[in-house]
Every structure is written in structure tokens, then in C-alpha cells.
Amino acid sequence: IVICERCADCLREMDLYVWDLEAGGDRVVKKNDHAMDDMRYFVTGVLAGSAGFAACVPERKISNDDMATIVETNDEWIRTRTGISNRHFADKETNLSLGMEAAEKALEMAGISKEEIGVVIWATITPDNIVPSQACMLQKELGLPGTVFAFFICAACTGFLYAVHTARSLLCSMPEKKYALVVASEVLSRVTNFADRNTCVLFGDGAGAAVITLDENSRYAFDCGAEGNTEVLYCPKYYHDTNPFAENLPEPAEQFVSMQGRAVYSFAVQALSGSIQRVAEKVGGYPDCYVCHQANARILQAAAKQLKEPMEKFFLNIGEYGNTSAASIAIALDDCVRSGSVKRGQTMMLSGFGGG
């Protein structure tokens, strides 16, 4: 095992195992027998492995033909430009109910008890409420321990990846917590402008969840970035301002997603291919399978071409669900594994891009 210099310094201070970096990590320089159980938390490359995962979408399926009844469009126009045939819209379901069902299924697949969950992170841009957070509401509804580290994050279509990486970081820093529950859930129909045919055909509702634990036998690398551009992709949040001391109260904003399609396409292709290439350089090669944010089939096709990677390695399920923002990668991951598109022992890279 080869560890970075920074981690080696920590190990020396704690009198744990230290490998000789110049010898390629093959020789132990210092050893303390009682430290074996703690060693794994300080080794670089520890993967945030998934012990269980699941997805949940609303019962009601909306086809392209259904969308053509409310805006001027048709099935061929939507499919050829986006790859989308259907999407699911919530009716009686809520953000919490979708995420909770996915979380319960993920826990069942992982085969662990609720008492073993130490961290809960919920990724969404369409929460049912601000306080308590979706993560805290999940703790209550599932009966998770009151000692869980629970919060929600807003990172749009990259939300699931940000949550997984954050969960891994927390597990590494808190060795007493063995498992993290990551949930990504969206009800984008709440913020969709159904009078705009260019955007309303793209989005869908759904949720995915994963039980995360540390796996010292797997490689791990992470790459991220930010670009706050409200002109390309934007969704305002309006709070009714009742401040009696405010001199200039803001005008109510329409809480709809607005998007410049061509600008998003150009940004996404470059961001996706660039990030994949940087991670591939870190781990020494490209993976067997890609599970990317399902925004538009054309974006993934263009990125694959730019990377000179076969499109067959890129998992696609956008045709059934549309763009579900934070939930997109989580749903695709569940579909990819359950469909047999990736086999045990193969390598996988997850990649997202979106608002911000």
C-alpha cells in the first residue's frame, strides 16, 4: 500500500503503521500492533463503496405523446434531440416519500440494521421544506438513531456525487461511524414551466439511495469544479418578504427552471470529458463502465467521441426517466447494476454536471 506524504505524517504522529514511500510502499518502517483496526481510515484511495442501493420513481408515467397535448411538440422531435421517451411525475408522492422508499430498499439490499447508519446526507433542489431538513425528516420517519450526522445539500445534478464524496470524507474522519445513507430525490415538476416546450419535456421526478461504507481494496479518485452562471441554467427561489424595515421589497420571481440549451450542451460536453480524463489520469486508466448524469443522450455521445471511448461503455436510461437532476446518477446506478450492464469486479466511473 502506498500512502501520500500528508497521510504518512499523520501516521507517524499517531505511531501507527508507516510504509517506506521510497521503497514503493513495500516495507514497514514503524509498527504498532494495536493500530491495525484504525489503519484503513488513513490510507489514500479508500473507496466509498456501496453496500446497497435502490431507486424509486412516481407511479404516473408521462409519454412524449402526453407532453404533446400541452405544448407544441411531438414524440420524434423530443426523442431525436434528447433521447427521452418517458418521464415520471409525482401526483400523491412527495420528495420525502420517494427518497424514503429508495432508502428503505437500499438498507434492505445492504443487509444492515438502521442502528448501524451513522451519517445521512440528502441531495435535492426541490425539498418539501427547509427546516427540518429532508435528512432529519428521514431520520424521524425511518427511526434512525438520534446520533446520526444528518443534513441536506443543494448541488443540482451533481448532488449525488457531492453527497457520496462528503459521506466518504465523514466516514474517514469518524471511524466510529461505519455506514452512511445517501439519498438523492427530486420533484422537478414543481419547478418546471409547462408552457415552455424547450424545457418542460426534459425533466422528471424520482429518487435514488445508496448505503456507503469504506472499502480499502478499491481505488478511489474524485474531481470537482464550480461555475456559477445564472444565464445558462437558473432556478430562483422566492421568499415572501414581510420585513417591515425593508425599503425596497423584491418583486416575486417565477420559480421555474430556465435554461439555454446550446450553452448547456457546450459546457456539459467539455466539463464531462475533462473531468473524466482527469480522474482517469489519477487512477491510471479508463473504467469498464460510465454512469453519468442523464441530461441528454447527445451530450454523452459527444463526450464519448471526444474521449475516444466507445458509447457502449456509457450507461443510458434517460429514455425512461428524463432528467431527474440530483437523483439522475443514483437511479442510473441502480438500473445499471440490476440490469447486468456492469459485473462484479469491473471498474465504474460516475460523473455529473449541472447548475453551478
Side-chain angles (χ1 to χ4, degrees):
I1 301 174
V2 179
I3 60 177
C4 71
E5 289 286 1
R6 182 179 177 185
C7 291
D9 290 339
C10 295
L11 292 172
R12 291 186 185 100
E13 291 177 7
M14 298 182 69
D15 199 31
L16 302 182
Y17 284 71
V18 177
W19 277 263
D20 185 350
L21 301 179
E22 294 182 357
D26 295 328
R27 183 167 61 86
V28 175
V29 175
K30 184 184 295 186
K31 178 180 178 182
N32 191 337
D33 291 335
H34 73 270
M36 179 62 98
D37 291 338
D38 295 327
M39 186 60 215
R40 60 186 297 202
Y41 298 100
F42 298 94
V43 177
T44 60
V46 175
L47 173 68
S50 178
F53 38 80
C56 175
V57 295
E59 182 178 346
R60 187 169 187 180
K61 179 190 291 189
I62 305 296
S63 68
N64 289 342
D65 290 334
D66 293 326
M67 297 301 295
T69 65
I70 62 171
V71 290
E72 186 179 348
T73 189
N74 58 68
D75 176 62
E76 183 183 7
W77 189 91
I78 299 171
R79 279 190 297 102
T80 56
R81 287 164 175 77
T82 67
I84 299 170
S85 297
N86 300 293
R87 74 284 295 147
H88 296 251
F89 286 149
D91 186 0
K92 59 182 179 297
E93 301 93 349
T94 65
N95 189 306
L96 179 62
S97 69
L98 290 170
M100 188 167 70
E101 183 172 338
E104 289 178 317
K105 291 178 180 177
L107 284 169
E108 182 179 356
M109 180 180 179
I112 65 170
S113 66
K114 298 175 182 179
E115 289 71 25
E116 294 179 87
I117 296 296
V119 175
V120 176
I121 306 177
W122 192 299
T124 185
I125 63 170
T126 55
D128 295 330
N129 46 274
I130 304 301
V131 177
S133 74
Q134 298 285 104
C136 292
M137 292 303 298
L138 183 68
Q139 178 273 327
K140 174 189 175 184
E141 296 299 326
L142 286 186
L144 301 178
T147 55
V148 295
F149 196 107
F151 60 98
F152 94 95
I153 64 173
C154 177
C157 307
T158 59
F160 180 71
L161 298 187
Y162 270 65
V164 167
H165 185 66
T166 302
R168 173 187 179 273
S169 300
L170 289 171
L171 292 177
C172 285
S173 65
M174 297 186 292
E176 73 279 5
K177 297 184 182 297
K178 304 300 183 184
Y179 295 96
L181 177 59
V182 172
V183 180
S185 181
E186 298 287 15
V187 186
L188 293 177
S189 54
R190 292 175 177 172
V191 294
T192 297
N193 183 354
F194 286 99
D196 179 9
R197 74 165 190 165
N198 292 316
T199 58
C200 72
V201 299
L202 302 176
F203 302 114
D205 302 335
V211 176
I212 302 297
T213 189
L214 297 178
D215 182 359
E216 67 272 25
N217 296 316
S218 299
R219 293 178 298 173
Y220 179 85
F222 184 76
D223 177 76
C224 66
E227 187 173 331
N229 188 333
T230 60
E231 296 178 359
V232 175
L233 183 62
Y234 184 59
C235 182
K237 174 64 180 177
Y238 174 72
Y239 295 94
H240 182 55
D241 197 333
T242 58
N243 179 7
F245 302 101
E247 295 183 2
N248 299 302
L249 294 177
E251 290 292 328
E254 288 189 335
Q255 194 175 332
F256 293 139
V257 173
S258 61
M259 183 170 61
Q260 301 297 323
R262 290 186 179 180
V264 169
Y265 175 87
S266 299
F267 159 76
V269 172
Q270 297 303 317
L272 183 64
S273 57
S275 185
I276 287 175
Q277 189 169 6
R278 287 190 293 272
V279 171
E281 290 172 355
K282 291 179 182 179
V283 299
Y286 291 95
D288 299 310
C289 178
Y290 296 94
V291 177
C292 302
H293 170 48
Q294 306 287 304
N296 188 308
R298 283 183 170 183
I299 292 175
L300 299 186
Q301 290 163 358
K305 183 177 181 180
Q306 192 159 312
L307 289 164
K308 295 183 172 61
E309 283 281 85
M311 189 59 201
E312 291 74 22
K313 293 175 67 173
F314 287 77
F315 182 77
L316 276 176
N317 70 345
I318 189 174
E320 177 62 23
Y321 306 110
N323 181 346
T324 56
S325 190
S328 168
I329 296 176
I331 294 173
L333 176 62
D334 183 59
D335 274 6
C336 180
V337 174
R338 293 181 189 276
S339 67
S341 297
V342 65
K343 304 294 190 298
R344 182 177 296 277
Q346 290 185 316
T347 55
M348 177 185 290
M349 190 183 295
L350 313 180
S351 185
F353 50 90

